[in-house]
Amino acid sequence: MEIKDYVAKLSAAFALGSADLSAIAIAFKKALQEGLAGKPSPLRMLPSFIADPTGKEAGEVLAVDFGGTNVRIIKVALDGKGGSRIENILKFPLKAADGSYDHVSAKAQGDELFDYIAAKIGEIAPSGTMAPLGHTFSFPCEQKSLNSAFLIHWTKEIRTKGVEGKDVTELLKAALARKGVNNAKPVAVINDTVGTLLTAAYSDSDADIASICGTGHNTCYLEPRHPLSGKPMIVNMESGNFDAVPQTQVDAELDAASEMPGRQKLEKMVSGYYLGEIVRLSLRRMRDEGILPACPALEERHIVRGMDIDSILIDSVDLKSTRAFASERLGLATLEMSQLTAIKTINDAIALRSARLVAATYAGTLMLIDPELKRRHSIAIDGTLYEKMPGYGANISMALCEIFGDKAKQVKTVLAKDGSGIGAAIAAAVAARASP
Ligand code: GLC
């Protein structure tokens, strides 16, 4: 097959037209309704036991943001008027670059992992007082109350033993006790999407959906009448597990080789952890078809990084960045323009699909909470894709316009930078207000 025809075929497999988007949005809304009603659904619809903050929460609080292999601990001052200030921040990896420790592999134990985090909390906790601590734990958890969350299973390829099935608040409390840290009191545990919504809603009353478009992907929304309480409550959809999505052969290949085949299908098509892998596997197919020359680098997992995708996306007609990527990352220094065009076409199609799929799930959520789009809605988004990937936000907006037409003007997406961490602080302040 001609290079041009092959590439057209492969990129068409990643393309989603307006009708596809609407169909996905409608399927998403159905899954939402079923999940909320407790029926089988790919959407877990996990209750968070928290609704909107009042904006009046105030004081100095600690937040632990644990959402992947990097953890952040922050000391935040909330001013009681919708504003927050980060006073201190400590960032650290759970897996050392030099291999000296690894708390996230299948050989690691939960107690060691939490001891490591507890000792770091000790470094930043204010001395002489007991600071309320909010914990953003960004994995699917069965929540029993605002301060109790049982990990259902790890996602994002973390494999530490002895955490699944346990209450992560209890694990953290026990670790703080073992490490002698007695000036931080865990009072709230939330998902990062929930933290992002709390942060946005602290100062924007239109914010009722929040999403992470980063290493992982997930969305939450404010359910106006939650079946458990009949009152408003934020629901963590765990939408990364949505599965009514058109998978390509490349997606199926990636899924089969992942830690949890069959799970997190949407996340594996859209999130930062996997996008580079989708590009790599697509290029590998092109190599197997003879469109690209022999290339051992394409066997190496994660050889294609987020920053490579970004630089190819904004490449100019001379394809200089794509050429640099092929030469430096893949060791292919002598490609022809048609081959470089093929790489860019596939790369761009994969990035575009991510934004459009995500937008379709936002549309499905809006169809549930405000079918006529009578009100204004802010969708708060955090994560590197939304923040840094060229065109990502614009592509989401475009897809929303295709689905809703003129009414899409009621919907805006906003960056909620560091929302997940600050949100944990807000949740801690909400909890501290409820039971000082
Ligand atoms: C994964 C987790 C989810 C989290 C998301 C973004 O999908 O399962 O809980 O919100 O990543 O970090």
Side-chain angles (χ1 to χ4, degrees), residues 73 106 111 142 231 281 340 347 428:
I73 302 175
D111 284 355
E142 198 68 63
K231 295 197 185 124
L281 294 174
L340 295 172
N347 178 80

Side-chain angles (χ1 to χ4, degrees), residues 138-140 155-156 191-193 212 216-218 238 264 267:
S138 311
F139 303 92
T155 48
K156 296 177 271 195
N191 185 257
D192 52 358
T193 54
I212 303 292
H217 171 67
N218 185 16
E238 285 295 325
Q264 302 294 106
E267 181 164 75

Side-chain angles (χ1 to χ4, degrees), residues 205-208 370 373-378 409-412:
S205 57
D206 292 335
D208 51 6
D370 183 11
L373 285 185
K374 287 193 175 137
R375 289 175 281 122
R376 283 203 306 261
H377 300 269
S378 299
K409 65 176 184 295
Q410 294 281 63
V411 186
K412 69 170 190 232

Side-chain angles (χ1 to χ4, degrees), residues 70-199:
N70 289 304
V71 173
R72 291 183 320 157
I73 302 175
I74 54 179
K75 192 150 69 171
V76 185
L78 300 171
D79 67 8
K81 289 182 263 170
S84 58
R85 195 181 66 250
I86 295 184
E87 294 183 328
N88 203 348
I89 183 158
L90 193 67
K91 281 190 205 174
F92 53 94
L94 294 174
K95 179 179 175 174
D98 65 4
S100 54
Y101 63 88
D102 183 348
H103 298 305
V104 291
S105 78
K107 289 199 196 107
Q109 291 296 331
D111 284 355
E112 289 160 29
L113 166 70
F114 280 94
D115 280 357
Y116 193 72
I117 295 174
K120 298 279 185 190
I121 294 173
E123 287 175 28
I124 202 173
S127 51
T129 81
M130 177 65 103
L133 180 145
H135 182 188
T136 300
F137 185 72
S138 311
F139 303 92
C141 287
E142 198 68 63
Q143 197 121 10
K144 306 280 185 204
S145 67
L146 179 56
N147 199 23
S148 151
F150 290 76
L151 175 62
I152 300 170
H153 59 73
W154 286 118
T155 48
K156 296 177 271 195
E157 316 288 310
I158 292 186
R159 294 191 287 170
T160 314
K161 293 235 158 48
V163 187
E164 288 179 339
K166 302 258 176 69
D167 182 347
V168 293
T169 300
E170 291 307 320
L171 294 181
L172 182 61
K173 278 186 182 162
L176 286 167
R178 279 195 297 274
K179 290 287 163 188
V181 180
N182 46 22
N183 42 357
K185 182 179 177 203
V187 292
V189 54
I190 55 170
N191 185 257
D192 52 358
T193 54
V194 177
T196 303
L197 184 47
L198 290 172
T199 306

